[in-house]
Tab-separated table of all heavy atoms in Angstrom:
chain	number	residue	atom	x	y	z
B	152	MET	N	-104.503	-25.419	19.615
B	152	MET	CA	-104.587	-26.766	19.303
B	152	MET	C	-103.678	-27.637	20.266
B	152	MET	O	-102.542	-27.169	20.578
B	152	MET	CB	-104.175	-27.004	17.917
B	152	MET	CG	-104.521	-28.322	17.327
B	152	MET	SD	-104.159	-28.653	15.693
B	152	MET	CE	-105.080	-27.471	14.695
B	153	SER	N	-104.240	-28.587	20.910
B	153	SER	CA	-103.569	-29.417	21.826
B	153	SER	C	-102.971	-30.599	21.245
B	153	SER	O	-103.541	-31.141	20.213
B	153	SER	CB	-104.524	-29.794	23.049
B	153	SER	OG	-103.789	-30.452	24.009
B	154	GLN	N	-101.945	-31.275	21.778
B	154	GLN	CA	-101.377	-32.460	21.258
B	154	GLN	C	-101.518	-33.516	22.306
B	154	GLN	O	-101.265	-33.232	23.438
B	154	GLN	CB	-99.897	-32.174	20.885
B	154	GLN	CG	-99.074	-33.245	20.417
B	154	GLN	CD	-97.686	-32.873	20.057
B	154	GLN	OE1	-97.523	-31.989	19.398
B	154	GLN	NE2	-96.779	-33.712	20.359
B	155	THR	N	-101.649	-34.742	21.907
B	155	THR	CA	-101.609	-35.977	22.750
B	155	THR	C	-100.353	-36.697	22.403
B	155	THR	O	-100.284	-37.045	21.266
B	155	THR	CB	-102.864	-36.752	22.753
B	155	THR	OG1	-103.975	-35.994	23.109
B	155	THR	CG2	-102.739	-37.887	23.694
B	156	THR	N	-99.499	-36.988	23.286
B	156	THR	CA	-98.353	-37.775	23.082
B	156	THR	C	-98.477	-39.134	23.965
B	156	THR	O	-98.614	-38.970	25.141
B	156	THR	CB	-97.006	-37.070	23.395
B	156	THR	OG1	-96.965	-35.844	22.745
B	156	THR	CG2	-95.788	-37.929	23.110
B	157	VAL	N	-98.255	-40.236	23.236
B	157	VAL	CA	-98.379	-41.509	23.996
B	157	VAL	C	-97.019	-42.128	23.996
B	157	VAL	O	-96.246	-42.225	22.991
B	157	VAL	CB	-99.293	-42.562	23.225
B	157	VAL	CG1	-99.403	-43.818	24.041
B	157	VAL	CG2	-100.705	-41.912	23.127
B	158	LEU	N	-96.574	-42.330	25.131
B	158	LEU	CA	-95.265	-43.005	25.459
B	158	LEU	C	-95.293	-44.426	26.030
B	158	LEU	O	-96.166	-44.723	26.757
B	158	LEU	CB	-94.438	-42.102	26.474
B	158	LEU	CG	-94.170	-40.689	26.065
B	158	LEU	CD1	-93.502	-39.998	27.368
B	158	LEU	CD2	-93.198	-40.544	24.911
B	159	SER	N	-94.490	-45.271	25.483
B	159	SER	CA	-94.295	-46.589	25.993
B	159	SER	C	-93.422	-46.606	27.099
B	159	SER	O	-92.278	-45.979	26.918
B	159	SER	CB	-93.868	-47.557	24.913
B	159	SER	OG	-93.679	-48.882	25.389
B	160	LEU	N	-93.611	-47.032	28.287
B	160	LEU	CA	-92.779	-46.905	29.454
B	160	LEU	C	-92.184	-48.280	29.911
B	160	LEU	O	-92.912	-49.333	29.812
B	160	LEU	CB	-93.554	-46.307	30.644
B	160	LEU	CG	-94.143	-44.996	30.436
B	160	LEU	CD1	-94.977	-44.484	31.728
B	160	LEU	CD2	-93.122	-43.992	30.067
B	161	GLN	N	-90.932	-48.288	30.423
B	161	GLN	CA	-90.324	-49.413	30.965
B	161	GLN	C	-89.732	-49.076	32.299
B	161	GLN	O	-89.224	-47.965	32.481
B	161	GLN	CB	-89.392	-49.965	30.080
B	161	GLN	CG	-89.864	-50.574	28.770
B	161	GLN	CD	-88.848	-51.097	27.883
B	161	GLN	OE1	-87.659	-50.744	27.846
B	161	GLN	NE2	-89.139	-52.019	27.011
B	162	GLY	N	-89.720	-50.062	33.294
B	162	GLY	CA	-88.987	-49.843	34.471
B	162	GLY	C	-89.865	-49.419	35.691
B	162	GLY	O	-89.455	-49.282	36.726
B	163	LEU	N	-91.142	-49.206	35.382
B	163	LEU	CA	-92.061	-48.872	36.423
B	163	LEU	C	-92.622	-50.164	37.030
B	163	LEU	O	-93.103	-51.078	36.330
B	163	LEU	CB	-93.263	-48.001	35.910
B	163	LEU	CG	-92.970	-46.497	35.592
B	163	LEU	CD1	-92.124	-46.397	34.352
B	163	LEU	CD2	-94.217	-45.745	35.532
B	164	SER	N	-92.580	-50.288	38.387
B	164	SER	CA	-92.956	-51.508	38.940
B	164	SER	C	-94.102	-51.410	40.061
B	164	SER	O	-94.598	-52.372	40.621
B	164	SER	CB	-91.714	-52.141	39.583
B	164	SER	OG	-91.163	-51.438	40.541
B	165	CYS	N	-94.428	-50.091	40.447
B	165	CYS	CA	-95.364	-49.868	41.459
B	165	CYS	C	-96.080	-48.588	41.237
B	165	CYS	O	-95.756	-47.692	40.461
B	165	CYS	CB	-94.744	-50.028	42.868
B	165	CYS	SG	-93.558	-48.695	43.139
B	166	MET	N	-96.994	-48.336	42.071
B	166	MET	CA	-97.826	-47.048	42.022
B	166	MET	C	-96.924	-45.780	42.444
B	166	MET	O	-97.155	-44.666	41.898
B	166	MET	CB	-99.145	-47.014	42.937
B	166	MET	CG	-100.100	-48.064	42.331
B	166	MET	SD	-100.444	-47.894	40.549
B	166	MET	CE	-101.258	-46.355	40.500
B	167	HIS	N	-95.850	-45.966	43.202
B	167	HIS	CA	-95.020	-44.894	43.586
B	167	HIS	C	-94.181	-44.527	42.267
B	167	HIS	O	-94.028	-43.331	42.056
B	167	HIS	CB	-93.953	-45.273	44.660
B	167	HIS	CG	-92.932	-44.307	44.986
B	167	HIS	ND1	-93.255	-43.135	45.703
B	167	HIS	CD2	-91.702	-44.174	44.585
B	167	HIS	CE1	-92.154	-42.325	45.647
B	167	HIS	NE2	-91.248	-43.049	45.158
B	168	CYS	N	-93.759	-45.553	41.467
B	168	CYS	CA	-93.172	-45.307	40.216
B	168	CYS	C	-94.079	-44.524	39.322
B	168	CYS	O	-93.568	-43.584	38.528
B	168	CYS	CB	-92.771	-46.589	39.475
B	168	CYS	SG	-91.527	-47.571	40.380
B	169	VAL	N	-95.309	-44.879	39.294
B	169	VAL	CA	-96.271	-44.224	38.312
B	169	VAL	C	-96.392	-42.691	38.838
B	169	VAL	O	-96.391	-41.877	37.981
B	169	VAL	CB	-97.620	-44.896	38.462
B	169	VAL	CG1	-98.820	-43.954	37.863
B	169	VAL	CG2	-97.602	-46.321	37.763
B	170	GLY	N	-96.560	-42.588	40.080
B	170	GLY	CA	-96.547	-41.162	40.625
B	170	GLY	C	-95.259	-40.248	40.329
B	170	GLY	O	-95.441	-39.206	39.849
B	171	SER	N	-94.189	-40.917	40.338
B	171	SER	CA	-92.925	-40.188	40.064
B	171	SER	C	-92.902	-39.885	38.605
B	171	SER	O	-92.325	-38.820	38.124
B	171	SER	CB	-91.677	-41.129	40.439
B	171	SER	OG	-91.573	-41.287	41.797
B	172	ALA	N	-93.213	-40.766	37.715
B	172	ALA	CA	-93.178	-40.616	36.238
B	172	ALA	C	-94.196	-39.518	35.952
B	172	ALA	O	-93.869	-38.597	35.078
B	172	ALA	CB	-93.546	-41.926	35.520
B	173	ARG	N	-95.404	-39.485	36.512
B	173	ARG	CA	-96.419	-38.444	36.256
B	173	ARG	C	-95.897	-37.053	36.656
B	173	ARG	O	-96.008	-36.109	35.933
B	173	ARG	CB	-97.855	-38.767	36.979
B	173	ARG	CG	-98.838	-37.740	36.667
B	173	ARG	CD	-100.127	-38.092	37.468
B	173	ARG	NE	-99.929	-38.220	38.894
B	173	ARG	CZ	-99.663	-37.106	39.616
B	173	ARG	NH1	-99.568	-35.940	39.292
B	173	ARG	NH2	-99.524	-37.392	40.942
B	174	LYS	N	-95.376	-37.008	37.807
B	174	LYS	CA	-94.798	-35.703	38.321
B	174	LYS	C	-93.666	-35.247	37.407
B	174	LYS	O	-93.666	-34.109	37.095
B	174	LYS	CB	-94.193	-35.920	39.746
B	174	LYS	CG	-93.914	-34.759	40.490
B	174	LYS	CD	-93.544	-35.005	41.910
B	174	LYS	CE	-93.091	-33.702	42.675
B	174	LYS	NZ	-92.822	-34.063	44.009
B	175	ALA	N	-92.818	-36.068	36.971
B	175	ALA	CA	-91.746	-35.658	36.044
B	175	ALA	C	-92.229	-35.135	34.687
B	175	ALA	O	-91.792	-34.268	34.222
B	175	ALA	CB	-90.787	-36.827	35.782
B	176	LEU	N	-93.381	-35.867	34.146
B	176	LEU	CA	-93.961	-35.433	32.920
B	176	LEU	C	-94.604	-34.078	33.130
B	176	LEU	O	-94.560	-33.191	32.201
B	176	LEU	CB	-94.946	-36.496	32.404
B	176	LEU	CG	-94.211	-37.789	31.877
B	176	LEU	CD1	-95.289	-38.861	31.557
B	176	LEU	CD2	-93.453	-37.430	30.584
B	177	GLU	N	-95.389	-33.932	34.160
B	177	GLU	CA	-96.096	-32.649	34.359
B	177	GLU	C	-95.240	-31.478	34.673
B	177	GLU	O	-95.662	-30.344	34.505
B	177	GLU	CB	-97.223	-32.810	35.507
B	177	GLU	CG	-98.338	-33.708	35.033
B	177	GLU	CD	-99.385	-33.995	36.019
B	177	GLU	OE1	-99.211	-33.765	37.315
B	177	GLU	OE2	-100.432	-34.527	35.578
B	178	ALA	N	-93.863	-31.653	34.986
B	178	ALA	CA	-92.991	-30.622	35.242
B	178	ALA	C	-92.408	-30.101	33.902
B	178	ALA	O	-91.746	-29.127	33.926
B	178	ALA	CB	-91.851	-31.135	36.148
B	179	VAL	N	-92.572	-30.814	32.954
B	179	VAL	CA	-92.054	-30.399	31.563
B	179	VAL	C	-92.934	-29.217	31.062
B	179	VAL	O	-94.226	-29.316	31.016
B	179	VAL	CB	-92.126	-31.635	30.539
B	179	VAL	CG1	-91.616	-31.069	29.187
B	179	VAL	CG2	-91.264	-32.711	30.971
B	180	PRO	N	-92.206	-28.162	30.656
B	180	PRO	CA	-93.104	-26.960	30.119
B	180	PRO	C	-93.830	-27.313	28.931
B	180	PRO	O	-93.406	-28.085	27.987
B	180	PRO	CB	-91.916	-25.949	29.611
B	180	PRO	CG	-90.710	-26.325	30.540
B	180	PRO	CD	-90.834	-27.786	30.735
B	181	GLY	N	-95.067	-26.871	28.985
B	181	GLY	CA	-96.072	-27.238	27.912
B	181	GLY	C	-96.999	-28.301	28.110
B	181	GLY	O	-97.947	-28.549	27.442
B	182	VAL	N	-96.658	-29.163	29.238
B	182	VAL	CA	-97.616	-30.354	29.556
B	182	VAL	C	-98.725	-29.739	30.455
B	182	VAL	O	-98.520	-29.080	31.385
B	182	VAL	CB	-96.819	-31.316	30.372
B	182	VAL	CG1	-97.732	-32.397	30.976
B	182	VAL	CG2	-95.832	-32.059	29.417
B	183	THR	N	-100.039	-29.941	29.997
B	183	THR	CA	-101.172	-29.547	30.774
B	183	THR	C	-101.612	-30.693	31.674
B	183	THR	O	-102.039	-30.384	32.792
B	183	THR	CB	-102.386	-29.246	29.940
B	183	THR	OG1	-102.663	-30.236	29.038
B	183	THR	CG2	-102.037	-27.924	29.089
B	184	SER	N	-101.362	-31.878	31.365
B	184	SER	CA	-101.696	-33.064	32.245
B	184	SER	C	-101.141	-34.348	31.627
B	184	SER	O	-100.681	-34.437	30.556
B	184	SER	CB	-103.198	-33.278	32.427
B	184	SER	OG	-103.869	-33.615	31.254
B	185	ALA	N	-100.942	-35.449	32.573
B	185	ALA	CA	-100.487	-36.690	32.089
B	185	ALA	C	-101.159	-37.788	32.819
B	185	ALA	O	-101.472	-37.712	34.039
B	185	ALA	CB	-98.973	-36.786	32.437
B	186	GLU	N	-101.594	-38.852	32.165
B	186	GLU	CA	-102.130	-40.030	32.657
B	186	GLU	C	-101.090	-41.082	32.506
B	186	GLU	O	-100.671	-41.496	31.426
B	186	GLU	CB	-103.430	-40.452	31.870
B	186	GLU	CG	-104.503	-39.345	31.994
B	186	GLU	CD	-105.658	-39.664	31.052
B	186	GLU	OE1	-105.632	-40.606	30.288
B	186	GLU	OE2	-106.653	-38.890	31.193
B	187	VAL	N	-100.742	-41.717	33.590
B	187	VAL	CA	-99.571	-42.732	33.505
B	187	VAL	C	-100.043	-44.046	34.149
B	187	VAL	O	-100.718	-44.019	35.221
B	187	VAL	CB	-98.378	-42.127	34.371
B	187	VAL	CG1	-97.199	-43.190	34.338
B	187	VAL	CG2	-97.904	-40.826	33.757
B	188	THR	N	-99.591	-45.138	33.531
B	188	THR	CA	-99.817	-46.414	34.018
B	188	THR	C	-98.389	-47.029	34.143
B	188	THR	O	-97.488	-46.502	33.810
B	188	THR	CB	-100.704	-47.270	33.129
B	188	THR	OG1	-100.067	-47.556	31.886
B	188	THR	CG2	-102.096	-46.625	32.877
B	189	LEU	N	-98.399	-48.334	34.464
B	189	LEU	CA	-97.122	-49.104	34.628
B	189	LEU	C	-96.341	-49.182	33.195
B	189	LEU	O	-95.275	-49.351	33.041
B	189	LEU	CB	-97.248	-50.431	35.289
B	189	LEU	CG	-97.645	-50.416	36.778
B	189	LEU	CD1	-97.961	-51.825	37.216
B	189	LEU	CD2	-96.550	-49.778	37.597
B	190	GLU	N	-97.308	-49.179	32.119
B	190	GLU	CA	-96.703	-49.480	30.732
B	190	GLU	C	-96.665	-48.272	29.830
B	190	GLU	O	-96.044	-48.334	28.853
B	190	GLU	CB	-97.536	-50.632	30.122
B	190	GLU	CG	-97.385	-52.007	30.685
B	190	GLU	CD	-98.494	-52.329	31.719
B	190	GLU	OE1	-99.646	-51.736	31.577
B	190	GLU	OE2	-98.382	-53.180	32.554
B	191	SER	N	-97.656	-47.291	30.010
B	191	SER	CA	-97.594	-46.160	29.176
B	191	SER	C	-97.998	-44.815	29.760
B	191	SER	O	-98.455	-44.860	30.914
B	191	SER	CB	-98.609	-46.668	28.038
B	191	SER	OG	-99.910	-46.631	28.510
B	192	ALA	N	-97.880	-43.846	28.984
B	192	ALA	CA	-98.297	-42.475	29.523
B	192	ALA	C	-98.944	-41.759	28.248
B	192	ALA	O	-98.476	-41.786	27.271
B	192	ALA	CB	-97.135	-41.628	29.943
B	193	ASN	N	-100.125	-41.136	28.578
B	193	ASN	CA	-100.783	-40.209	27.669
B	193	ASN	C	-100.487	-38.844	28.206
B	193	ASN	O	-100.907	-38.514	29.405
B	193	ASN	CB	-102.276	-40.443	27.604
B	193	ASN	CG	-102.617	-41.732	27.074
B	193	ASN	OD1	-101.986	-42.217	26.171
B	193	ASN	ND2	-103.753	-42.335	27.438
B	194	VAL	N	-99.813	-38.056	27.476
B	194	VAL	CA	-99.425	-36.663	27.862
B	194	VAL	C	-100.067	-35.660	26.950
B	194	VAL	O	-100.099	-35.770	25.811
B	194	VAL	CB	-97.913	-36.609	27.724
B	194	VAL	CG1	-97.380	-35.234	28.308
B	194	VAL	CG2	-97.110	-37.584	28.484
B	195	TYR	N	-100.811	-34.700	27.651
B	195	TYR	CA	-101.518	-33.712	26.858
B	195	TYR	C	-100.818	-32.320	27.063
B	195	TYR	O	-100.410	-32.028	28.071
B	195	TYR	CB	-102.974	-33.641	27.588
B	195	TYR	CG	-103.668	-35.059	27.456
B	195	TYR	CD1	-103.618	-35.719	28.667
B	195	TYR	CD2	-104.240	-35.443	26.485
B	195	TYR	CE1	-104.174	-37.007	28.765
B	195	TYR	CE2	-104.772	-36.589	26.333
B	195	TYR	CZ	-104.811	-37.459	27.615
B	195	TYR	OH	-105.355	-38.785	27.476
B	196	GLY	N	-100.938	-31.685	25.982
B	196	GLY	CA	-100.236	-30.242	25.845
B	196	GLY	C	-99.430	-30.127	24.570
B	196	GLY	O	-99.664	-30.917	23.745
B	197	ASP	N	-98.428	-29.189	24.591
B	197	ASP	CA	-97.574	-29.115	23.427
B	197	ASP	C	-96.216	-29.344	23.642
B	197	ASP	O	-95.312	-28.630	23.085
B	197	ASP	CB	-97.925	-27.678	22.836
B	197	ASP	CG	-97.565	-26.546	23.751
B	197	ASP	OD1	-97.189	-26.812	24.958
B	197	ASP	OD2	-97.834	-25.432	23.382
B	198	ALA	N	-95.875	-30.061	24.642
B	198	ALA	CA	-94.351	-30.394	24.865
B	198	ALA	C	-93.799	-31.249	23.795
B	198	ALA	O	-94.473	-32.148	23.287
B	198	ALA	CB	-94.255	-31.060	26.349
B	199	ASP	N	-92.512	-31.086	23.597
B	199	ASP	CA	-91.859	-31.828	22.568
B	199	ASP	C	-91.606	-33.341	23.117
B	199	ASP	O	-91.214	-33.440	24.352
B	199	ASP	CB	-90.415	-31.238	22.348
B	199	ASP	CG	-89.582	-32.020	21.453
B	199	ASP	OD1	-89.945	-32.156	20.240
B	199	ASP	OD2	-88.525	-32.607	21.943
B	200	ALA	N	-91.799	-34.385	22.308
B	200	ALA	CA	-91.756	-35.761	22.693
B	200	ALA	C	-90.313	-36.069	23.333
B	200	ALA	O	-90.211	-36.759	24.217
B	200	ALA	CB	-92.018	-36.603	21.520
B	201	GLN	N	-89.358	-35.505	22.766
B	201	GLN	CA	-87.968	-35.786	23.177
B	201	GLN	C	-87.737	-35.212	24.637
B	201	GLN	O	-87.035	-35.772	25.540
B	201	GLN	CB	-86.876	-35.221	22.251
B	201	GLN	CG	-86.872	-35.961	20.938
B	201	GLN	CD	-86.679	-37.455	21.141
B	201	GLN	OE1	-85.716	-37.790	21.905
B	201	GLN	NE2	-87.413	-38.169	20.425
B	202	ARG	N	-88.329	-34.107	24.879
B	202	ARG	CA	-88.329	-33.677	26.340
B	202	ARG	C	-88.988	-34.471	27.285
B	202	ARG	O	-88.656	-34.673	28.416
B	202	ARG	CB	-88.751	-32.193	26.354
B	202	ARG	CG	-87.952	-31.119	25.774
B	202	ARG	CD	-88.394	-29.684	26.037
B	202	ARG	NE	-87.488	-28.797	25.427
B	202	ARG	CZ	-87.402	-27.543	25.725
B	202	ARG	NH1	-88.247	-26.976	26.719
B	202	ARG	NH2	-86.494	-26.779	25.105
B	203	LEU	N	-90.171	-35.008	26.823
B	203	LEU	CA	-90.924	-35.921	27.674
B	203	LEU	C	-90.133	-37.226	27.944
B	203	LEU	O	-90.069	-37.647	29.078
B	203	LEU	CB	-92.188	-36.289	27.033
B	203	LEU	CG	-93.204	-35.142	26.672
B	203	LEU	CD1	-94.313	-35.600	25.980
B	203	LEU	CD2	-93.552	-34.448	27.963
B	204	ILE	N	-89.437	-37.801	26.988
B	204	ILE	CA	-88.624	-38.902	27.080
B	204	ILE	C	-87.427	-38.557	28.044
B	204	ILE	O	-87.109	-39.323	28.990
B	204	ILE	CB	-88.160	-39.466	25.754
B	204	ILE	CG1	-89.432	-39.970	25.023
B	204	ILE	CG2	-87.047	-40.522	25.949
B	204	ILE	CD1	-89.105	-40.295	23.437
B	205	ALA	N	-86.877	-37.448	27.909
B	205	ALA	CA	-85.715	-37.103	28.750
B	205	ALA	C	-86.223	-36.805	30.222
B	205	ALA	O	-85.422	-37.322	31.173
B	205	ALA	CB	-85.094	-35.761	28.291
B	206	ALA	N	-87.381	-36.459	30.419
B	206	ALA	CA	-87.817	-36.275	31.754
B	206	ALA	C	-88.053	-37.711	32.364
B	206	ALA	O	-87.718	-37.859	33.680
B	206	ALA	CB	-89.196	-35.510	31.837
B	207	ILE	N	-88.647	-38.622	31.652
B	207	ILE	CA	-88.819	-39.954	32.272
B	207	ILE	C	-87.481	-40.671	32.618
B	207	ILE	O	-87.377	-41.231	33.549
B	207	ILE	CB	-89.597	-40.803	31.211
B	207	ILE	CG1	-91.063	-40.389	31.083
B	207	ILE	CG2	-89.556	-42.332	31.516
B	207	ILE	CD1	-91.873	-40.677	32.293
B	208	GLU	N	-86.511	-40.466	31.653
B	208	GLU	CA	-85.176	-41.085	31.849
B	208	GLU	C	-84.514	-40.392	33.050
B	208	GLU	O	-83.826	-41.032	33.818
B	208	GLU	CB	-84.355	-40.968	30.582
B	208	GLU	CG	-85.008	-41.926	29.527
B	208	GLU	CD	-84.206	-41.958	28.230
B	208	GLU	OE1	-83.221	-41.219	28.010
B	208	GLU	OE2	-84.544	-42.879	27.452
B	209	GLU	N	-84.673	-39.143	33.204
B	209	GLU	CA	-84.123	-38.399	34.529
B	209	GLU	C	-84.708	-39.003	35.592
B	209	GLU	O	-84.093	-38.907	36.741
B	209	GLU	CB	-84.225	-36.938	34.263
B	209	GLU	CG	-83.329	-36.260	33.281
B	209	GLU	CD	-83.588	-34.826	33.052
B	209	GLU	OE1	-84.191	-34.178	33.966
B	209	GLU	OE2	-83.174	-34.308	32.026
B	210	ALA	N	-85.985	-39.371	35.733
B	210	ALA	CA	-86.592	-40.020	36.814
B	210	ALA	C	-86.284	-41.382	37.103
B	210	ALA	O	-86.609	-41.935	38.012
B	210	ALA	CB	-88.200	-39.754	36.693
B	211	GLY	N	-85.427	-41.945	36.183
B	211	GLY	CA	-84.970	-43.282	36.324
B	211	GLY	C	-85.633	-44.362	35.666
B	211	GLY	O	-85.404	-45.590	35.981
B	212	PHE	N	-86.444	-44.021	34.661
B	212	PHE	CA	-87.249	-45.081	33.865
B	212	PHE	C	-86.815	-44.822	32.469
B	212	PHE	O	-86.081	-44.051	32.033
B	212	PHE	CB	-88.684	-44.809	34.114
B	212	PHE	CG	-89.145	-44.725	35.517
B	212	PHE	CD1	-89.501	-43.473	36.077
B	212	PHE	CD2	-89.017	-45.726	36.448
B	212	PHE	CE1	-89.868	-43.367	37.421
B	212	PHE	CE2	-89.320	-45.656	37.656
B	212	PHE	CZ	-89.731	-44.507	38.218
B	213	HIS	N	-87.445	-45.747	31.543
B	213	HIS	CA	-87.181	-45.764	30.178
B	213	HIS	C	-88.472	-45.433	29.447
B	213	HIS	O	-89.585	-45.820	29.909
B	213	HIS	CB	-86.558	-46.964	29.732
B	213	HIS	CG	-85.268	-47.380	30.364
B	213	HIS	ND1	-84.165	-46.776	30.013
B	213	HIS	CD2	-84.963	-48.314	31.345
B	213	HIS	CE1	-83.137	-47.300	30.770
B	213	HIS	NE2	-83.681	-48.205	31.519
B	214	ALA	N	-88.442	-44.721	28.335
B	214	ALA	CA	-89.609	-44.287	27.578
B	214	ALA	C	-89.178	-44.331	26.068
B	214	ALA	O	-88.002	-43.911	25.763
B	214	ALA	CB	-90.197	-43.048	28.006
B	215	LYS	N	-90.213	-44.555	25.237
B	215	LYS	CA	-89.995	-44.356	23.763
B	215	LYS	C	-91.490	-43.885	23.194
B	215	LYS	O	-92.475	-44.144	23.842
B	215	LYS	CB	-89.446	-45.487	23.131
B	215	LYS	CG	-90.351	-46.712	23.104
B	215	LYS	CD	-89.770	-47.865	22.301
B	215	LYS	CE	-90.563	-49.146	22.344
B	215	LYS	NZ	-90.043	-50.260	21.671
B	216	LEU	N	-91.363	-43.105	22.166
B	216	LEU	CA	-92.581	-42.589	21.539
B	216	LEU	C	-93.318	-43.681	20.937
B	216	LEU	O	-92.946	-44.525	20.264
B	216	LEU	CB	-92.124	-41.588	20.523
B	216	LEU	CG	-93.393	-40.885	19.826
B	216	LEU	CD1	-94.123	-40.055	20.801
B	216	LEU	CD2	-92.840	-39.960	18.664
B	217	LYS	N	-94.613	-43.751	21.366
B	217	LYS	CA	-95.566	-44.737	20.690
B	217	LYS	C	-96.463	-44.062	19.665
B	217	LYS	O	-96.647	-44.525	18.700
B	217	LYS	CB	-96.448	-45.297	21.861
B	217	LYS	CG	-97.174	-46.563	21.577
B	217	LYS	CD	-97.669	-47.180	22.823
B	217	LYS	CE	-98.315	-48.486	22.591
B	217	LYS	NZ	-98.917	-49.024	23.798
B	218	ALA	N	-96.960	-42.762	19.988
B	218	ALA	CA	-97.807	-42.077	19.049
B	218	ALA	C	-97.944	-40.626	19.443
B	218	ALA	O	-97.636	-40.299	20.666
B	218	ALA	CB	-99.111	-42.555	18.946
B	219	SER	N	-98.269	-39.754	18.411
B	219	SER	CA	-98.484	-38.338	18.726
B	219	SER	C	-99.554	-37.853	17.744
B	219	SER	O	-99.494	-38.206	16.575
B	219	SER	CB	-97.201	-37.651	18.478
B	219	SER	OG	-97.389	-36.275	18.820
B	220	SER	N	-100.549	-37.054	18.333
B	220	SER	CA	-101.545	-36.606	17.484
B	220	SER	C	-102.079	-35.273	18.000
B	220	SER	O	-101.967	-34.962	19.145
B	220	SER	CB	-102.630	-37.582	17.344
B	220	SER	OG	-103.267	-37.772	18.667
B	221	LEU	N	-102.556	-34.447	17.095
B	221	LEU	CA	-103.169	-33.131	17.387
B	221	LEU	C	-104.649	-33.381	17.643
B	221	LEU	O	-105.275	-34.150	17.053
B	221	LEU	CB	-102.958	-32.167	16.315
B	221	LEU	CG	-101.566	-31.815	16.050
B	221	LEU	CD1	-101.326	-30.844	14.809
B	221	LEU	CD2	-100.928	-31.143	17.205
B	222	THR	N	-105.203	-32.677	18.634
B	222	THR	CA	-106.627	-32.726	18.867
B	222	THR	C	-107.273	-31.378	18.967
B	222	THR	O	-106.464	-30.415	19.110
B	222	THR	CB	-106.817	-33.428	20.160
B	222	THR	OG1	-106.145	-32.761	21.298
B	222	THR	CG2	-106.478	-34.912	20.190
C-alpha cells in the first residue's frame, strides 16, 4: 500500500528552488517520487511526514503537513 503526503511549502521562489526541494524529498528513504510546485509538494511512498518536513527544512525551506492518505 502506498501513501500520498501533501506538504504546504514556503520559501520557494523559483524553479531552482522547486528542483532543490524535489531532490531533497526524493532522497528521503521510502519516497518513490515527488511532485513539487512553489506552494506545495505531493510525495508518494511510505516515508514519515516528519522526515519529509525535516528534509525540506535542511534544504533551506519551510514545510508543514497539509494531508496524508493511503492509496
